[in-house]
Structures are given as structure tokens and as C-alpha cells.
Amino acid sequence: MLSNSLSSCHLSRFPSCLAGVIRSLHALGRLEHVYCTETRPYNQGARLTAYELVYEHIPATLIADSMVSVAMKEKGLSAVIVGADRVVANGDTANKVGTYQLAIAAKHHGIPFYVAAPSTSCDLSLAEGSDIVIEERPSQELTDVNGVRIAAPGIGVWNPAFDVTPHELITGGIVTEFGVFRPGELREALAGK
């Protein structure tokens, strides 16, 4: 299912399960190009994802997080694939902050949205995404660059590390080592595994 539908995709995060999907599609000749996001504010996309893609010789372009919607509109993207830090029983998915907006933009543009996660990231003991506790990161990640303050002194900061993508926006499926499943199929598919 995945391998037949991808020619150019947007990749926001590059955890090991997602890396496997990207490598496989590339090796099969079914992945033309990857657009990876910088993943602000901690810049894992620019520092890690971009490095991995270059190292793997996978054609890729780094874009700012704020460029996602226009890239979907103008670059002919055929799928969005993200990783996941946690997937709960109904298919809601927690991942690095910014993932939720990718899903919304993909839905608007009619682009399938996939989540790649190992079954060990699936926590079926939690019913829905609102049960996930979201970590808040230090304000300096937004106010400082390399230890130098760039933001106005006294400005308030809200810096959640993750956001939750509702299962309704995961239109392509959840990719695990056991296959690709619709969010509503996940609990049954992983039962007893």
C-alpha cells in the first residue's frame, strides 16, 4: 500500500521505524524525493534528519516548518510520513510538536498522512490522545540561539515538546513492523503481539 503510492513525500521526523520505511521505499525505487522539516525549536530535522538523508544518499530538501503548507500546494507531494513517540488505542498519535499541523495541512490538500511507529511505541492501555502527558521544554529553546538571547526580555514562552494528532487525520495508516493499519484496526492488529 505505501510503496505503490509514494513518489515524492514530506518527511518531518526520522526515527528508526520511519527511517526503515524511507530506506525501503528508496531502495525499491518508489521514492523520488523527501522534504524534511527543520523541526523547531530543537532543530532535530535540520541536525539529524537531514544528516541521515544525506548519509543514506536519499534525494532530499530541508524546509522550514512554516513552509509545509506551501510545499504541499506547490511541490506535488504524494504522501506525508511522520514518526511517533506514542500511539494509543484509538490511533491518536503523539509526536514532536508540529506533527499535528502537518496532518491538518495534508488533509486540506488531500495528501495521505501516514505514521510510522514500532509496535513498542503503541500504548494500548491509553484510550485516547488526551490521556498522554505532554512534556514542556525549557523556554531558552525559543528565546536563545547558542546561548545568546534573541527574544524580547520578559516575553512569556510556551514550549510543548509534543503534540497529539487525532486518529481522524491519519488518513493513510499507521505503519508498524506487522503491517499498515487504519487507526481503528490497530488495537485488534496488535492484540497478543
Side-chain angles (χ1 to χ4, degrees):
M1 180 163 128
L2 262 177
S3 59
N4 291 330
S5 65
L6 300 182
S7 60
S8 177
C9 78
H10 168 77
L11 167 66
S12 69
R13 315 317 189 225
F14 207 71
S16 60
C17 186
L18 179 54
V21 172
I22 297 300
R23 282 185 197 104
S24 294
L25 290 171
H26 183 256
L28 292 169
R30 298 197 174 151
L31 180 69
E32 181 181 310
H33 199 88
V34 175
Y35 288 86
C36 66
T37 58
E38 62 187 348
T39 319
R40 287 275 301 141
Y42 204 53
N43 294 321
Q44 299 102 313
R47 291 183 300 109
L48 305 174
T49 305
Y51 175 84
E52 291 289 334
L53 291 167
V54 169
Y55 180 80
E56 297 285 340
H57 303 287
I58 297 172
T61 300
L62 178 66
I63 62 172
D65 292 337
S66 58
M67 296 175 187
V68 168
S69 294
V70 73
M72 289 181 189
K73 179 182 174 190
E74 296 182 9
K75 294 297 184 181
L77 306 183
S78 61
V80 176
I81 307 172
V82 300
D85 288 275
R86 183 174 289 178
V87 180
V88 298
N90 74 344
D92 291 351
T93 302
N95 195 44
K96 304 298 180 282
V97 70
T99 304
Y100 178 40
Q101 70 185 2
L102 294 174
I104 292 168
K107 178 86 169 182
H108 175 78
H109 290 284
I111 299 170
F113 185 88
Y114 293 90
V115 172
S119 61
T120 55
S121 293
C122 298
D123 185 350
L124 302 181
S125 70
L126 298 179
E128 56 189 40
S130 61
D131 297 329
I132 300 170
V133 177
I134 302 297
E135 170 193 0
E136 296 225 10
R137 301 283 300 169
S139 62
Q140 291 79 11
E141 288 180 359
L142 291 177
T143 61
D144 297 25
V145 173
N146 295 326
V148 176
R149 178 87 179 197
I150 60 166
I155 188 70
V157 174
W158 180 50
N159 188 15
F162 306 95
D163 59 25
V164 176
T165 300
H167 63 277
E168 301 90 13
L169 295 176
I170 303 170
T171 56
I174 299 171
V175 182
T176 73
E177 68 272 28
F178 300 113
V180 181
F181 306 102
R182 299 262 177 235
E185 302 169 338
L186 189 65
R187 180 189 291 271
E188 184 179 334
L190 297 181
K193 295 203 186 294

